[in-house]
Amino acid sequence: MKYKLEYIWLDGYEPVPNLRSKTKIVDFDAEPTLDQLPLWNFDGSSTRQAAGSNSDCFLQPVALFPDAGRNHGYLVMCEVLLPDGTPHPSNSRAAIPDDPDAWFGFEQEYFLYTDGAPLGFPKEGFPAPQGEYYTGVGYKNVGDVAREIVDEHIDLCIGAGIMIEGVNAEVAKGQWEFQIFGKGARRAADELWIARYLMLRLCERHGVDVNFHPKPLGAEVDWNGSGLHTNFSTKHMREVGGEEFFAALMSAFAEARDEHIACYGPDNDLRLTGMHETAAIDEFTYGIADRGASVRIPHSFVKSGHRGYLEDRRPNSMADPYRITGRILQTIETITAQALIEDAFAA
């Protein structure tokens, strides 16, 4: 049987890569598995990943998802390789540490756009101020097509086996959010990239664009920006934790503030202003249930003896989740390694 394999990868645009894809038709006797998928090449000179005089780049399948939007279709997340088989410089997935016991939950905010403005905005000026749009119901709050899009997107994600956990209308008109959960730094980010791909492809049919910019309306207006709040935990955080470990972890996050911000998406200075439920970009703060902090501490975390998950609210909506998960893991691992050494000496 012939299967439609949609090879999906990240291009070489900076500071934010674009999703690219092309379809390969392959014969299989049965449903294909990841290890059966062939390496494939593409023209890197057209994606800012190679010169025209030596344009071949290669796609290495790394994750496979059923494509509920196509008969006999699969979505194939790929890493980009150089002709010698080594990771391309733009291949952020290959460059990060991984841990299958690290859990991540992404809260992907975005705007739906038509004719250069958020869905539901008047041709001139602004709609009613923010207030009733968040989790809103009714035409005046969400319009007539947005809910259809997000509902279709849920079904596509579920059909792909992506762990989508919820959706809701957000604070600004035309703004929405979906939540993705995943285990492992790379796998969690794979699922978010595929969920983004499915949303972009779906909106083609509706004549709607998806705007992932963190502050598409500008910093000077009183409208919320878009984040990619990232919930995270490791096995040590869930099972051991403790107040002393938590304090050390927050100290490590504070020391690595600049390194984290560098991985959390461009134009974040427009969003992280200390207003609209954000912390200032040049500060690191944390607090229990504090949506204006850099890291929000859930009540459940404290009640469980400082065990469980935390939420980093600084990543923005167009950030690369591979870089986010990799940087968070890198910081956590410095503290976890020290804690294990101290436990060994204490024993």
Side-chain angles (χ1 to χ4, degrees):
M1 180 178 291
K2 293 187 181 296
Y3 288 88
K4 305 165 192 169
L5 308 178
E6 193 69 18
Y7 278 52
I8 300 165
W9 72 98
L10 305 180
D11 68 16
Y13 278 62
E14 295 180 342
V16 178
N18 299 293
L19 284 160
R20 303 281 184 143
S21 76
K22 61 176 185 171
T23 306
K24 189 174 186 64
I25 312 299
V26 182
D27 266 315
F28 291 103
D29 293 333
E31 299 286 330
T33 58
L34 182 62
D35 59 354
Q36 293 177 303
L37 303 187
L39 198 70
W40 201 15
N41 69 312
F42 70 96
D43 171 18
S45 69
S46 296
T47 62
R48 297 188 182 176
Q49 288 167 301
S53 58
N54 187 18
S55 63
D56 280 355
C57 291
F58 291 83
L59 299 173
Q60 174 63 61
V62 292
L64 182 64
F65 303 85
D67 187 352
R70 276 174 147 180
N71 293 326
H72 309 299
Y74 280 89
L75 306 163
V76 185
M77 193 68 203
C78 299
E79 288 189 11
V80 178
L81 305 181
L82 294 167
D84 65 2
T86 59
H88 190 277
S90 66
N91 183 347
S92 56
R93 187 184 191 275
I96 65 171
D98 204 2
D99 175 1
D101 291 320
W103 298 357
F104 293 92
F106 297 108
E107 301 173 29
Q108 176 70 71
E109 295 177 332
Y110 61 95
F111 278 84
L112 295 173
Y113 258 58
T114 55
D115 299 323
L119 202 62
F121 268 50
K123 290 185 178 180
E124 295 183 4
F126 296 95
Q130 295 179 168
E132 296 183 29
Y133 304 124
Y134 172 69
T135 62
V137 178
Y139 176 78
K140 73 184 181 80
N141 289 323
V142 300
D144 60 352
V145 70
R147 198 177 299 279
E148 180 181 351
I149 290 171
V150 299
D151 282 347
E152 287 184 57
H153 183 248
I154 291 171
D155 290 339
L156 289 170
C157 287
I158 291 173
I162 291 171
M163 296 179 71
I164 187 167
E165 296 207 317
V167 302
N168 57 268
E170 263 301 333
V171 175
K173 187 153 193 176
Q175 186 185 37
W176 287 76
E177 174 186 300
F178 60 83
Q179 299 104 36
I180 301 292
F181 172 75
K183 296 182 179 181
R186 290 175 182 164
R187 177 66 188 194
D190 289 340
E191 296 204 11
L192 180 61
W193 274 118
I194 295 297
R196 286 175 171 177
Y197 171 85
L198 288 171
M199 176 59 78
L200 287 163
R201 193 180 73 179
L202 168 63
C203 283
E204 294 170 2
R205 289 196 287 106
H206 292 275
V208 172
D209 285 314
V210 184
N211 191 326
F212 288 114
H213 192 277
K215 203 73 174 179
L217 295 169
E220 65 280 358
V221 297
D222 192 26
W223 291 86
N224 273 34
S226 295
L228 182 62
H229 305 149
T230 302
N231 303 276
F232 62 92
S233 71
T234 61
K235 186 175 182 181
H236 188 89
M237 289 174 63
R238 294 189 299 272
E239 297 182 3
V240 181
E243 192 167 1
E244 184 176 342
F245 177 83
F246 167 73
L249 183 60
M250 291 298 93
S251 178
F253 266 65
E255 290 177 9
R257 185 194 69 203
D258 291 345
E259 290 83 354
H260 280 256
I261 292 298
C263 294
Y264 284 1
D267 292 336
N268 226 359
D269 57 315
L270 302 178
R271 172 179 160 266
L272 296 180
T273 61
M275 300 174 62
H276 300 107
E277 299 182 318
T278 70
I281 195 169
D282 59 353
E283 297 177 355
F284 177 80
T285 60
Y286 58 91
I288 299 172
D290 186 354
R291 294 184 178 275
S294 307
V295 170
R296 182 183 68 86
I297 308 163
H299 283 288
S300 60
F301 182 86
V302 179
K303 291 178 181 178
S304 299
H306 289 81
R307 289 192 297 270
Y309 76 93
L310 299 169
E311 178 192 17
D312 195 329
R313 296 181 58 80
R314 296 171 295 171
N316 74 37
S317 47
M318 64 178 175
D320 178 354
Y322 294 128
R323 298 189 69 198
I324 295 170
T325 59
R327 182 62 244 188
I328 287 174
L329 266 189
Q330 187 178 343
T331 302
I332 293 173
E333 286 173 354
T334 63
I335 304 304
T336 304
Q338 183 62 35
L340 293 173
I341 291 170
E342 292 173 356
D343 289 345
F345 277 109

